[in-house]
Amino acid sequence: MKILTLVASLLVGITAMQAQTAYISAIIGNGNDWKIVKSIEVNGNQVVYTLSDDSQVRADAVHGQPSALPVIHDALYCVPGTVTDILLQEVNKTTALVLCGAVNRDDIRNFNKYYLPQIKSADFSRLDMSAVTSVHSLFYGCAALERVDFGGKIGSQVTILFQLFCNCTSLEEVDFSGCDLSGVTEYTNCFLNCSNLRTIKAVGCNDKTVEVLRNALSKVDLNGVVIVTSEPTPTTAR
């Protein structure tokens, strides 16, 4: 089933790349260097990845062991203005929303138009959000959502967090580390009914960003949520 899913995703990706629209694909990489995968094959004791630019990456393969290079299947590669309900329906089946490419304001609006009831985690760390000024109701009513990592992609041009996580009753952790919320003027009900929220990470964020987060929590009486602003100091073994 996984192989069939991968093949289907890759075929969708290849067709969409030609049309320059958003598509579901596999991505491969290490650290911040992630590439779109066009095909995967095993050749002897190596896994051969052919990328979207037709270049190849090879990794040693050991039977029964994972490949040396991490692969994320069913990632949503976004082309501005082309993120559709049909694509979101397919991504929703994976329970994990992984985004790369770039989005604009209309794409973000499509997320809050299409309900994502099965999504448990969302990762924006590979996504260009520089054209986005509002994340209004982005995850409204996503009752299964537990964790979100914005990957530092929300910048000072974003002014609206209105109902961002409203009614996300399973939400436990949000990572705003590296984000800049200094431009935010509207955050009403950002965390309304997030009764399971325990931690917000804001490592490397400016004072205004932390203030916005504190105020957003306070306005919905979530004063027990811990806002982490620095990485824990590693302990030295004696």
Side-chain angles (χ1 to χ4, degrees):
M1 180 62 71
K2 289 183 178 178
I3 293 174
L4 292 174
T5 300
L6 173 60
V7 170
S9 297
L10 292 174
L11 288 174
V12 170
I14 292 168
T15 301
M17 278 188 284
Q18 296 171 347
Q20 288 299 297
T21 60
Y23 57 93
I24 299 171
S25 186
I27 57 175
I28 180 176
N30 192 8
N32 293 322
D33 185 21
W34 289 85
K35 307 289 186 181
I36 301 299
V37 178
K38 189 160 65 172
S39 66
I40 301 174
E41 63 178 328
V42 177
N43 186 358
N45 63 345
Q46 287 191 323
V47 180
V48 181
Y49 306 90
T50 301
L51 307 180
S52 58
D53 61 1
D54 290 325
S55 64
Q56 290 186 333
V57 176
R58 296 172 179 266
D60 292 336
V62 178
H63 183 69
Q65 298 296 321
S67 170
L69 293 174
V71 179
I72 298 177
H73 302 299
D74 299 324
L76 178 57
Y77 186 87
C78 302
V79 175
T82 66
V83 178
T84 65
D85 288 358
I86 293 175
L87 285 174
L88 293 176
Q89 288 169 16
E90 290 303 310
V91 172
N92 186 52
K93 295 175 183 177
T94 71
T95 74
L97 178 65
V98 178
L99 298 157
C100 51
V103 290
N104 63 18
R105 180 179 62 180
D106 292 335
D107 299 319
I108 294 298
R109 285 177 176 171
N110 276 347
F111 278 96
N112 67 54
K113 281 197 310 181
Y114 178 72
Y115 180 46
L116 296 169
Q118 294 183 190
I119 292 295
K120 293 184 177 180
S121 66
D123 183 350
F124 290 76
S125 63
R126 305 168 188 87
L127 183 69
D128 181 354
M129 296 179 67
S130 59
V132 174
T133 58
S134 169
V135 287
H136 163 42
S137 302
L138 178 59
F139 289 108
Y140 184 97
C142 293
L145 186 67
E146 297 174 359
R147 289 175 176 80
V148 175
D149 180 3
F150 283 111
K153 300 302 184 179
I154 297 181
S156 59
Q157 81 282 356
V158 173
T159 60
I160 300 174
L161 304 183
F162 178 66
Q163 292 186 342
L164 173 57
F165 292 111
C166 185
N167 295 331
C168 291
T169 52
S170 298
L171 187 65
E172 298 175 3
E173 180 180 293
V174 183
D175 194 342
F176 284 100
S177 296
C179 293
D180 183 354
L181 305 184
S182 60
V184 172
T185 57
E186 174 60 85
Y187 46 80
T188 302
N189 294 338
C190 179
F191 298 109
L192 183 65
N193 294 330
C194 295
S195 55
N196 281 305
L197 185 60
R198 297 292 178 265
T199 306
I200 291 179
K201 293 183 179 180
V203 177
C205 294
N206 56 40
D207 291 343
K208 177 60 175 177
T209 296
V210 177
E211 178 186 349
V212 167
L213 293 172
R214 290 193 191 283
N215 289 342
L217 291 168
S218 178
K219 285 186 177 296
V220 291
D221 297 321
L222 289 177
N223 299 307
V225 177
V226 176
I227 299 179
V228 179
T229 58
S230 61
E231 296 287 1
T233 303
T235 57
T236 303
R238 295 185 178 181

